[in-house]
Amino acid sequence: MVCDMTMDATLAGHLQELRRGTVVVASLTVLREPGYGYSLLEMLSAAGFEVEANTLYPLLRRLESQGLLASEWNTDEARPRKFYRTTEQGEAIAETLRTEWTRLDRAITDLDTPGSPR
Amino acid sequence: MTSLVDRYVFTALRRVPEKQRADIDRELRASIEDAVDARVDAGEPRDAAVEATLLELGDPDRLADRYADRASYLIGPELFPAWRRLMTMLLSMVLPLVVIVLVVLRSLDAPSAGSVIGGMVSSVITVGVHIAFWVTAVFAVLERTGVTAGGLRGGPWSLKNLPRYEPRGLTVTQLGAAIVWPVLMITALVLQQFTFGDEPVLAPANWSFWWPYLIVVMALDALYAVWVYRLGTWTHTVTVVNAALALAFAVPVIWLASTDRFFNPAFFDFGAGADEALRWAGFGVVLTFAVFLVWDIAEVAVRAERLRRGLPLKVPGTGV
């Protein structure tokens, strides 16, 4: 019998692994409308994505260096903010990732449905 | 006085590549202020809001690692198996060899039990630390220069990389060992006469016949290994040849050692207890070679007999 604490840690590990890639898809999708770090963080948590600031901010810079996001400093307001926007390339990749997500969802639902063809 | 936010941002920036610093500085501060404002708007006092925001961002060193997108490990999973294989091999085979050579060389200068044991301990530590450090350092550099396991192997893994587990015959490694070992022994036998200290370790009188004879037998041992390798199986002929060679080597050595003609008494001439040491050394040689003789003859004979009866042979190291 595995004790509950180990089980919780196991679950947490698997959940983290399952969610790892979703933040990328979500960010690329949301940032079709330009947004800055904190606004995106708020939007994602409101939409139900469990993402931490210390993961999201470095991720945005990485996606930018990969050419999937473009950035621009907006100094019109009192607080200068770095706005990110999804590039064409980023949109294309996001589209592929969303298709893959749908396919996986369907595949898992099929497996979970008894009597369905395998 | 620097504020809490300054201290946090400075700490994170210290470990970020220099050309990214200015940009990350501005962006990180803006993000922190946004989060603090949101908390203040929700009714928290400003100081508490700053603390909560920074706590949520967590360890600035980890944040810096994520910004710099750098590996927070020395050797990754890709190269770790190769590292472990090499370390195991070096520490289990090369380390003992080097330590034995060093201890022999050192104990020839001042032979006493204390200096031999002390020399052994210090060589194990020194050589072991050197091996571990340099292998790890090289692998850490390889990890950071983008070398993959396939690159080390000289191509992607394929079925050809699977070792052969033939219980019959000798493997290439065994053949190599069976050739290198006599060569090392012959070299040691010749070197001890001229190189180590003033007096040879072994009785020089035996150069008239017994030492050259043993050199010939050891050369025959190497030839025997080549023959068994090409034969690819264990037969009763192999048993007989192996037993003849083992007897031809061990019997004279045991006879010489038990009649005090193996070691050079002048080499052991270091005052009190020298006779005692000489006797124990002789006894050690007799015992070692007697065990070796029995084990070697029996091992090959058992293999050949099992093969003749069609019984399966064990594959070493697999438990099968």
Side-chain angles (χ1 to χ4, degrees), chain B residues 283-307:
Chain B
F283 178 70
V285 169
V286 171
L287 191 70
T288 310
F289 279 87
V291 170
F292 152 80
L293 181 67
V294 173
W295 182 80
D296 185 43
I297 293 178
E299 205 248 343
V300 174
V302 167
R303 265 170 193 263
E305 185 57 22
R306 287 187 76 92
L307 262 185

Side-chain angles (χ1 to χ4, degrees), chain B residues 167 306-307 309-315 320:
Chain B
R306 287 187 76 92
L307 262 185
R309 294 193 195 166
L311 295 171
L313 289 177
K314 291 202 173 196
V315 181
V320 180

Side-chain angles (χ1 to χ4, degrees), chain A residues 36-39 41-42 52-55 57-62 64-66 71 73-75 79-82 84, chain B residues 8 20 22-24 26-39 46 56-59 63 66-67 69:
Chain A
Y36 53 94
Y38 186 74
S39 72
L41 188 70
E42 289 285 89
E52 307 227 357
N54 56 18
T55 314
Y57 299 156
L59 174 70
L60 290 175
R61 299 187 70 92
R62 190 154 75 244
E64 186 191 2
S65 74
Q66 290 172 341
S71 76
W73 277 93
N74 182 334
T75 47
R79 180 172 299 155
R81 290 194 180 104
K82 193 177 187 181
Y84 293 92
Chain B
Y8 187 92
Q20 296 179 26
D23 200 52
I24 292 182
R26 275 173 94 190
E27 190 183 9
L28 186 57
R29 281 175 191 279
S31 303
I32 292 173
E33 282 162 23
D34 281 337
V36 170
D37 284 354
R39 282 177 180 274
R46 189 149 203 100
E56 218 174 65
L57 270 176
D59 187 345
L63 183 65
R66 288 178 181 171
Y67 269 124
D69 199 10

Side-chain angles (χ1 to χ4, degrees), chain B residues 262-279:
Chain B
F262 188 77
F263 288 108
N264 182 10
F267 176 76
F268 282 84
D269 191 15
F270 47 81
D275 286 352
E276 193 80 346
L278 187 56
R279 203 165 322 127

Side-chain angles (χ1 to χ4, degrees), chain B residues 12-157:
Chain B
L13 289 178
R14 255 191 337 191
R15 299 192 53 232
V16 161
E18 202 167 342
K19 53 183 181 193
Q20 296 179 26
R21 274 185 201 159
D23 200 52
I24 292 182
D25 183 19
R26 275 173 94 190
E27 190 183 9
L28 186 57
R29 281 175 191 279
S31 303
I32 292 173
E33 282 162 23
D34 281 337
V36 170
D37 284 354
R39 282 177 180 274
V40 170
D41 288 348
E44 280 184 48
R46 189 149 203 100
D47 285 351
V50 169
E51 281 179 23
T53 303
L54 295 182
L55 273 175
E56 218 174 65
L57 270 176
D59 187 345
D61 281 343
R62 284 194 62 190
L63 183 65
D65 279 341
R66 288 178 181 171
Y67 269 124
D69 199 10
R70 102 188 112 211
S72 40
Y73 48 78
L74 196 59
I75 297 167
E78 174 85 356
L79 291 184
F80 180 75
W83 175 86
R84 188 180 48 196
R85 265 201 308 277
L86 190 61
M87 281 293 259
T88 315
M89 199 270 279
L90 289 176
L91 290 182
S92 63
M93 292 168 74
V94 176
L95 178 63
L97 262 179
V98 173
V99 167
I100 288 170
V101 170
L102 284 179
V103 167
V104 166
L105 287 180
R106 203 169 301 169
S107 61
L108 293 172
D109 287 340
S112 81
S115 76
V116 169
I117 294 172
M120 195 181 301
V121 171
S122 76
S123 334
V124 166
I125 294 173
T126 316
V127 178
V129 167
H130 264 287
I131 290 177
F133 173 78
W134 289 110
V135 170
T136 309
V138 167
F139 269 84
V141 171
L142 291 179
E143 177 72 50
R144 272 143 195 82
T145 47
V147 172
T148 60
L152 281 184
R153 205 186 293 112
W157 187 89

